[in-house]
Amino acid sequence: MVSSVPLSTIPQPFGEKRVTFHHLNWQAYQQILHALGENRAARLTYNLGILEITMPLEDHEFAARLIELFIRILVVEMGMKIKTMGSTTLEREDLDRSPEPDNAYYIQNQHLVAGRNVDLQHDPPPDLVVEIDITHTDIDKLQLYATLGVSEFWRYNGRLWRIYQLQSGQYQEVESSPTFPFIAKENLSEFLNQAQQDEVEAEQMFRTWVKQQVQTF
């Protein structure tokens, strides 16, 4: 794979608009959630009394959709299975937390939730969660998803991709994905750089590269 423009040279994009409310209890959060309804572009993240409403803009949506494509290519070419949760509300009233991530997936535990809706009171959390935070967020996402028990967390800020693995209840940043061991941080950077110029070519090149890695891994 050939990288075009290094991410460090790209101007910092403006990826989201955010509105934050503090000192809300679970009941107040639920009232706002139901008042806004399901047919909305905004995403709600509630964490210990803080509610953040995020309106994604173009740079945010580009990264979210292309990272989802990146993951799906890996899953397909590696012969894995996946259940896509998207931005499904991951409600845990018992933990006073309820995020709507950009992308969430069951991969290792896909077989436990295949063919039905997930019930987080009884089912494990998603295996992999992705968040795009290009602008500042008041939510401590590492604490949030660690508390929910998400084993792998990807975070992208418009320039840098960070991979976190849950270890003893806390996230540790790692250099490569536990789910996709031959994938390192620079692979996503190269893919996103190429996709900015030509998404179809970027997909074709990355798929070819993954097939080669699978054969030698």
Side-chain angles (χ1 to χ4, degrees), residues 58-89:
E58 181 178 346
D59 291 318
H60 181 114
E61 288 298 273
F62 171 82
R65 301 290 78 78
L66 268 294
I67 290 173
E68 182 163 62
L69 175 60
F70 182 86
I71 291 170
R72 186 160 293 277
I73 291 171
L74 287 166
V75 167
V76 171
E77 299 303 334
M78 293 176 67
M80 307 169 81
K81 294 185 180 297
I82 190 169
K83 180 181 178 68
T84 301
M85 299 292 288
S87 296
T88 299
T89 306

Side-chain angles (χ1 to χ4, degrees), residues 113-160:
V113 294
R116 60 178 178 80
N117 290 341
V118 171
D119 180 357
L120 290 176
Q121 294 300 320
H122 305 285
D123 294 321
D127 299 302
L128 172 61
V129 162
V130 179
E131 285 277 12
I132 316 298
D133 287 315
I134 296 174
T135 55
H136 173 75
T137 172
D138 288 342
I139 301 289
D140 186 341
K141 298 289 180 69
L142 293 179
Q143 176 223 51
L144 170 59
Y145 289 111
T147 302
L148 293 180
V150 174
S151 59
E152 185 172 351
F153 178 43
W154 293 7
R155 198 169 193 183
Y156 180 67
N157 69 358
R159 294 189 179 196
L160 299 176

